[in-house]
Amino acid sequence: MALKADPEVVRELVHRYDKLQSLDAPCPGSSTNPGIEGVVYTLCVLTGTRDELNALAAARSLLAHSDSS
């Protein structure tokens, strides 16, 4: 049985990621802010991915599908 992430939780994590990323990261995919590491880790777990960019792509895809439902 596969777990399915709650779209509201994913939405909040993506929002938090975007906010933290805009504060001080020089380029996307570069986790220089320690606060962002937990967000990235949680997104990886929820999306079943192993890296930041794939986790974000999967999260945004999940949100796009949940918004169109």
Side-chain angles (χ1 to χ4, degrees), residues 20-36:
L20 288 168
Q21 191 73 359
S22 69
L23 292 176
D24 63 357
C27 63
S30 161
S31 298
T32 58
N33 182 333
I36 208 168

Side-chain angles (χ1 to χ4, degrees), residues 45-69:
V45 170
L46 289 175
T47 60
T49 59
R50 292 181 177 249
D51 67 75
E52 184 173 343
L53 296 178
N54 286 332
L56 284 167
R60 289 191 166 108
S61 176
L62 179 126
L63 292 175
H65 287 97
S66 74
D67 289 342
S68 65
S69 299

Side-chain angles (χ1 to χ4, degrees), residues 11-27:
R11 183 173 284 106
E12 174 59 30
L13 287 167
V14 170
H15 175 73
R16 198 176 316 166
Y17 174 89
D18 289 339
K19 185 175 181 181
L20 288 168
Q21 191 73 359
S22 69
L23 292 176
D24 63 357
C27 63

